[in-house]
């Protein structure tokens, strides 16, 4: 059965290599390393979430503490409902590929996403289809981001592995690809492999 599309927000900033999207709902942020998609005309852009923030709408004006006399965190928003409209949640994503027609291509698209394009969470079927190959890892390995790329790679692979029937085989394949990309950097390779090591008892042999 085809899964429904989950719309997360829309693009408010875009470049050839990535985009930033504002969420429609406060704190409704996609997980680190999750695969999302947006469009540029007929092309679907795939991107990995690498950074998320929640801050005040007004630049330079930080929220102030309000909960000293409240019984819970939820009570803060109940007593000050305007807060939800004074804050915003945003996330940034690194473009790792695109779909042109029926072809999934794991390299940068010809043009960036458009401002106000909708951003959707990819379904499990889409994630599985995209991660049949590991060409996207080259983009992640060489990315210079606010988030350490090793943590991003590990988070991405852990999430992708859950869409494959044999998650262990998927992670082993990803590990071999990383070994080819990072053959001269054993310490970095080891750090990533430690983070994607299967922990489920059922995958141990």
């Amino acid at each position: 059965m085809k899964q429904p599309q989950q719309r997360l927000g829309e693009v408010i900033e875009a470049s050839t290599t990535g985009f930033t999207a504002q969420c429609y709902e406060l704190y409704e942020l996609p997980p680190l390393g999750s695969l999302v998609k947006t469009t540029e005309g007929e092309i679907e852009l795939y991107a990995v979430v690498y950074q998320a923030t929640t801050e005040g709408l007004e630049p330079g004006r930080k929220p102030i503490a309000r909960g000293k006399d409240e019984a819970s965190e939820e009570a803060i928003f109940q007593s000050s409902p305007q807060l939800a409209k004074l804050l915003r949640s945003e996330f940034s994503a690194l473009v790792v590929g695109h779909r042109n027609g029926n072809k999934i291509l794991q390299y940068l698209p010809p043009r960036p996403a458009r401002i106000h394009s909708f951003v959707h969470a990819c379904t499990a079927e889409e994630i599985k289809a995209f991660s049949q190959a590991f060409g996207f890892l080259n983009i992640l390995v060489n990315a210079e981001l606010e988030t350490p790329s090793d943590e991003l790679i590990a988070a991405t692979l852990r999430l992708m592995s859950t869409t494959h029937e044999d998650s262990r085989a998927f992670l082993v394949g990803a590990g071999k690809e990383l070994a080819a990309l990072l053959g001269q950097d054993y310490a970095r390779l080891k750090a990533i492999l430690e983070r994607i090591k299967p922990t489920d008892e059922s995958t141990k042999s």
Side-chain angles (χ1 to χ4, degrees), residues 164-200:
H164 291 259
E165 288 81 5
D166 190 340
S167 61
R168 183 184 179 88
F170 171 81
L171 292 174
V172 169
K176 290 179 179 178
E177 182 72 15
L178 288 169
L181 293 170
L182 298 170
Q184 303 301 316
D185 193 345
Y186 177 74
R188 188 180 178 193
L189 174 62
K190 182 173 182 291
I192 298 173
L193 295 181
E194 285 292 327
R195 286 165 171 76
I196 64 173
K197 184 185 298 181
T199 56
D200 188 336

Side-chain angles (χ1 to χ4, degrees), residues 9-15 18-24 38 53 55 88-92 113-119:
E10 62 188 65
V11 175
I12 58 172
E13 185 178 338
S15 68
F19 57 81
T20 296
Q22 183 175 338
C23 297
Y24 291 124
T38 187
T53 60
E55 59 186 5
R88 63 181 172 187
S89 293
E90 297 178 356
F91 63 90
S92 296
R114 298 180 182 180
I115 301 297
H116 296 305
S117 295
F118 296 145
V119 181

Side-chain angles (χ1 to χ4, degrees), residues 3 14 16-17 25 50 52 57 59 65 84 88 94 151 162 191 194 203:
Q3 295 178 321
T16 300
T17 57
E25 302 295 335
Y50 69 84
L57 279 173
R88 63 181 172 187
L94 179 72
E151 295 288 347
T162 63
E194 285 292 327
T203 63

Side-chain angles (χ1 to χ4, degrees), residues 153-167:
I153 292 168
T156 301
L157 292 174
R158 289 195 301 265
L159 288 174
M160 286 181 169
S161 71
T162 63
T163 67
H164 291 259
E165 288 81 5
D166 190 340
S167 61

Side-chain angles (χ1 to χ4, degrees), residues 41-99:
E42 298 298 317
I43 297 176
E44 285 188 335
L45 280 62
Y46 293 107
V48 170
V49 175
Y50 69 84
Q51 179 78 317
T53 60
T54 297
E55 59 186 5
L57 279 173
E58 296 183 34
R61 185 174 179 180
K62 292 184 177 180
I64 60 173
R66 296 171 178 269
K68 182 178 179 181
D69 298 320
E70 301 289 358
S72 67
E73 296 173 4
E74 291 75 14
I76 297 174
F77 285 87
Q78 292 170 356
S79 62
S80 304
Q82 76 280 6
L83 286 179
K85 297 186 181 301
L86 298 176
L87 301 172
R88 63 181 172 187
S89 293
E90 297 178 356
F91 63 90
S92 296
L94 179 72
V95 176
V96 292
H98 59 287
R99 178 192 289 274

